[in-house]
Amino acid sequence: MSQPTRRRAVARCAAVAALLTAPWTVSGGLAAPALAATVSTPVVDFNGDGYADLAVSAPNATVSGMSQAGYISVVYGSSAGADTAHAQLITRATAGVPGHVSQYDAFGRSTAARDFDGDGYTDLAVGHFSTPVVLWGSAHGLSGGTVLTTASSRLAAGDFNGDGYGDLVTDSDVGLEVSYGPISRTGAPASTDTLPFEEEVDPRAITVGDMTGDGVDDMVTTHSFEEMQHKSRFWAGGKDGLSHTFKTTGYYTVGGVIADVNKDGYGDFVALQVDQVSEMRAYDAGAIRVVYGSASGPSTRTVKITQNTAGVPGVSEAGDNELNFGDQFGYSLAAGDVTGDGYPDIAVGVPGEDVGSVRDAGAIVLLKGSASGLTGKGAQAFNQSTSGVPGISEKGDYFGRSVHLADVNANNRADLAVGTPSEDGTYADSGAVWVLRGSKAGLTTTNITSFGPRALGAPEKEARFGDSIAR
């Protein structure tokens, strides 16, 4: 049996098992919700060893004498957690990677991970200001690369037609271009499509996940023009790919994640909620909006969560619109099952959080999923002043600017990677990442791994390491 065939067979078996074990719900009569096991994000595993890997971006780094050329460091997972001793540095100068090192390229600022060619290994699409490339996964990790003939300012990946192959979404001047897998090693997709947008409604962020519970990924897009925000849009996936028509989520939101936080078989959309006019967003206290999924996508069941919500640590604090930023609760979000109870939890970045008298030191909050959905019950908070967390809370660290949940030690509990690109090392803004272990009780400070570019043998000066982590 070939790799793609075996891969699809395994997926079908998992779907059948999910159908047999999924709970039934009552909504005007008995109805099976959907395949709950399909409402999840595939593991980013470039070498196929079963451990989740971290692809950390450092878009401002100087490479081959070129400022802001950018690079990616891949830290592979292992039974002991994040394996920093065998990290991989990938730049435009790396053997097999197409293109050349260019000033201001910001290589790695935009990434998307998925198995695009169906060989069982996660691949990584990388780009930003120049033409993107796909780095191919293998038993030895990422290697080589193929140029894609598309734009690259924003990348996202999913399986929008349910055929088992990864599909890639890229931003362009005419709309969102969808390259349906398999994508060959020459860069040719099986087919392509374009979702056009009207003027002044440019897509600013792309979120992927299965909201309808049919086993096929859907897409939610964020839109704005200058300081004006538009309500986010839901695009259903199906056997023919993404629909060309959309429905609104009903809210002005930015970015987000899709995860089945109440385990009813439908993915729920969790995102930073903003005002229609949001030019002063950095001074906001922050709030997240949960829009629960249904068979038709976003439902009317929603909840807003802030640091003033019962059980959530901290207090919602806005800035002064001058020198001091707000908390920005929800600036970054990630989804994963930290406790191993089957309910996805949500990691919330709060990069503008003050720690004592230290302004904008930053923090993260973990909100736990449950049968009731996402609430503040049992929430946890961590910062660099938390006992057991390496480092010191310093002004302007913005700890939690990026967050990512992944099971790097394969113990069936997601671990939290916290990216802090403004962390100072030998140089200002060299950046760093912390990995907090998941446990039955939630995140723990036991055996935290923290590392910056210097520890990985990567360029450090003003690298902004941890700007994002591929998902």
Side-chain angles (χ1 to χ4, degrees):
M1 185 182 292
S2 68
Q3 278 278 16
T5 303
R6 178 166 62 250
R7 187 169 166 274
R8 288 194 292 273
V10 170
R12 284 195 295 271
C13 290
V16 171
L19 180 61
L20 293 175
T21 58
W24 290 70
T25 60
V26 178
S27 178
L30 289 176
L35 308 183
T38 65
V39 189
S40 61
T41 302
V43 174
V44 175
D45 184 6
F46 302 120
N47 58 4
D49 63 358
Y51 300 99
D53 306 319
L54 306 175
V56 183
S57 296
N60 274 36
T62 298
V63 177
S64 301
M66 298 290 183
S67 61
Q68 298 182 39
Y71 66 81
I72 289 172
S73 282
V74 182
V75 178
Y76 291 93
S78 73
S79 59
D83 182 9
T84 58
H86 300 91
Q88 182 181 14
L89 174 64
I90 302 176
T91 77
R92 290 274 190 183
T94 299
V97 177
H100 57 275
V101 179
S102 301
Q103 189 175 28
Y104 309 127
D105 186 22
F107 181 75
R109 177 163 288 164
S110 180
T111 57
R114 202 78 181 208
D115 181 5
F116 296 116
D117 61 355
D119 65 353
Y121 299 100
T122 305
D123 310 306
L124 184 67
V126 185
H128 197 54
F129 289 117
S130 59
T131 304
V133 300
V134 172
L135 308 175
W136 302 105
S138 72
H140 303 291
L142 289 176
S143 63
T146 301
V147 174
L148 299 176
T149 56
T150 182
S152 66
S153 60
R154 293 170 190 85
L155 302 174
D159 181 7
F160 303 112
N161 56 9
D163 65 355
Y165 295 103
D167 309 318
L168 182 65
V169 180
T170 59
D171 190 14
S172 74
D173 293 337
V174 296
L176 291 179
E177 297 184 17
V178 187
S179 298
Y180 287 98
I183 298 175
S184 74
R185 293 298 176 102
T186 65
S191 62
T192 61
D193 195 9
T194 300
L195 302 180
F197 291 96
E198 59 271 36
E199 290 185 20
E200 300 185 357
V201 192
D202 295 331
R204 299 298 183 186
I206 306 165
T207 302
V208 174
D210 180 12
M211 289 195 74
T212 59
D214 62 356
V216 179
D217 281 326
D218 309 306
M219 181 174 71
V220 178
T221 51
T222 294
H223 303 267
S224 65
F225 181 75
E226 296 179 346
E227 78 280 5
M228 298 301 297
Q229 199 75 23
H230 298 271
K231 291 180 179 179
S232 296
R233 299 176 175 184
F234 166 82
W235 311 77
K239 63 181 180 63
D240 297 319
L242 287 169
S243 171
H244 278 229
T245 59
F246 65 86
K247 64 184 288 188
T248 177
T249 64
Y251 296 92
Y252 303 102
T253 58
V254 175
V257 293
I258 295 173
D260 186 9
V261 296
N262 59 353
K263 213 167 62 170
D264 66 351
Y266 304 108
D268 310 307
F269 178 56
V270 185
L272 173 67
Q273 182 170 330
V274 297
D275 296 328
Q276 185 175 10
V277 179
S278 55
E279 61 181 335
M280 306 295 282
R281 191 183 307 159
Y283 299 97
D284 291 347
I288 62 172
R289 171 64 60 175
V290 184
V291 180
Y292 289 93
S294 73
S296 60
S299 72
T300 56
R301 182 191 173 193
T302 74
V303 65
K304 181 179 179 179
I305 299 176
T306 73
Q307 285 185 282
N308 290 335
T309 299
V312 178
V315 177
S316 291
E317 296 171 309
D320 57 12
N321 293 341
E322 292 184 2
L323 297 177
N324 300 309
F325 291 141
D327 287 343
Q328 301 177 71
F329 179 83
Y331 181 94
S332 56
L333 294 165
D337 183 6
V338 172
T339 62
D341 63 358
Y343 293 94
D345 308 304
I346 302 295
V348 183
V350 197
E353 179 83 352
D354 297 342
V355 177
S357 61
V358 182
R359 299 287 303 181
D360 304 324
I364 65 95
V365 170
L366 182 72
L367 302 176
K368 296 178 180 177
S370 69
S372 302
L374 202 63
T375 68
K377 184 178 180 180
Q380 298 175 283
F382 299 84
N383 56 62
Q384 287 189 75
S385 292
T386 302
S387 178
V389 176
I392 301 171
S393 293
E394 297 174 306
K395 181 179 180 180
D397 275 351
Y398 305 111
F399 183 82
R401 189 175 177 88
S402 68
V403 291
H404 179 71
L405 283 168
D407 187 6
V408 296
N409 59 354
N411 68 346
N412 296 315
R413 293 183 174 90
D415 310 300
L416 175 63
V418 182
T420 307
S422 296
E423 177 76 7
D424 295 341
T426 305
Y427 303 94
D429 297 338
S430 55
V433 168
W434 286 253
V435 181
L436 284 69
R437 299 287 184 93
S439 74
K440 185 177 181 179
L443 292 172
T444 175
T445 57
T446 302
N447 295 323
I448 290 179
T449 302
S450 62
F451 51 90
R454 185 179 183 183
L456 305 183
E460 182 180 12
K461 188 175 181 180
E462 300 175 347
R464 294 191 62 80
F465 182 86
D467 183 78
S468 63
I469 301 172
R471 62 178 69 179

